Amino acid sequence: MINNMNSNSSVTIAPLESTQVTQTHSIYLDAEKYLPVNFQLTDRPWSISLNILCSFRMSDYLDGKFALLLEYQDLRGKHRLPVDILELSFENALLFSNLVEIPVRGELSDICLKLTGVPKDIDVETELLHIHLEESRSYSDSQPIRKVL
């Protein structure tokens, strides 16, 4: 299940050249989809590779740097990985794509995609979100275990 939600928190992406206040647009993902079989309650290391394609439409034309980040939590705490970074010149659409490997230890929870760099007064609409689980590895007796969907 995917939920879209604009948060009211302000963040600044470094290096933004202006001092403009920006918003974070968040898309929450169902962590259960990416858990390997029988590894939900283990503290063993495992990893997944997600092929992510995501597009956004904005209410106005913008210039600047924009980033799509993947946040998640595991036994070690909260993590943030870059998915893709764009630098635009007078555009109102963003298209991010990349294959992201996510190292996990223990249970995977609180997976979220975050779009950063959009000015606070701009409305953001998620047009397309496609996430494909490419690979899931758990290490048991030095042998990778693959999850088949």
Side-chain angles (χ1 to χ4, degrees), residues 2-4 25-29 50-57 66-70 83-86 93-100 112-116 124-132:
I2 298 170
N3 296 317
N4 292 332
H25 179 77
S26 300
I27 302 170
Y28 296 93
L29 307 172
L50 298 177
N51 195 347
I52 299 172
L53 175 67
C54 191
S55 70
F56 299 95
R57 176 81 49 199
F66 305 90
L68 185 65
L69 307 170
L70 182 118
V83 174
D84 201 358
I85 298 172
L86 300 174
L94 301 169
L95 178 63
F96 297 97
S97 68
N98 210 350
L99 180 65
V100 180
C112 179
L113 289 172
K114 294 194 177 232
L115 170 63
T116 60
V124 178
E125 177 185 339
T126 304
E127 285 194 322
L128 171 72
L129 177 60
H130 176 76
I131 300 176
H132 185 261

Side-chain angles (χ1 to χ4, degrees), residues 15-131:
L16 276 181
E17 293 179 13
S18 72
T19 57
Q20 188 171 35
V21 175
T22 61
Q23 64 177 310
T24 300
H25 179 77
S26 300
I27 302 170
Y28 296 93
L29 307 172
D30 181 8
E32 296 282 323
K33 286 182 159 183
Y34 310 109
L35 294 173
V37 177
N38 298 325
F39 275 83
Q40 290 90 341
L41 301 174
T42 185
D43 62 351
R44 292 180 183 217
W46 54 281
S47 69
I48 57 175
S49 294
L50 298 177
N51 195 347
I52 299 172
L53 175 67
C54 191
S55 70
F56 299 95
R57 176 81 49 199
M58 294 171 292
S59 61
D60 200 358
Y61 289 84
L62 300 173
D63 297 322
K65 276 191 177 179
F66 305 90
L68 185 65
L69 307 170
L70 182 118
E71 286 186 352
Y72 68 98
Q73 186 161 342
D74 67 3
L75 260 177
R76 299 166 298 158
K78 228 175 197 345
H79 307 279
R80 178 182 280 185
L81 300 172
V83 174
D84 201 358
I85 298 172
L86 300 174
E87 190 160 347
L88 299 181
S89 178
F90 200 67
E91 308 250 353
N92 73 337
L94 301 169
L95 178 63
F96 297 97
S97 68
N98 210 350
L99 180 65
V100 180
E101 184 173 350
I102 304 167
V104 181
R105 183 150 193 119
E107 185 179 352
L108 177 66
S109 64
D110 298 329
I111 302 176
C112 179
L113 289 172
K114 294 194 177 232
L115 170 63
T116 60
V118 179
K120 204 164 187 66
D121 58 340
I122 300 295
D123 293 329
V124 178
E125 177 185 339
T126 304
E127 285 194 322
L128 171 72
L129 177 60
H130 176 76
I131 300 176

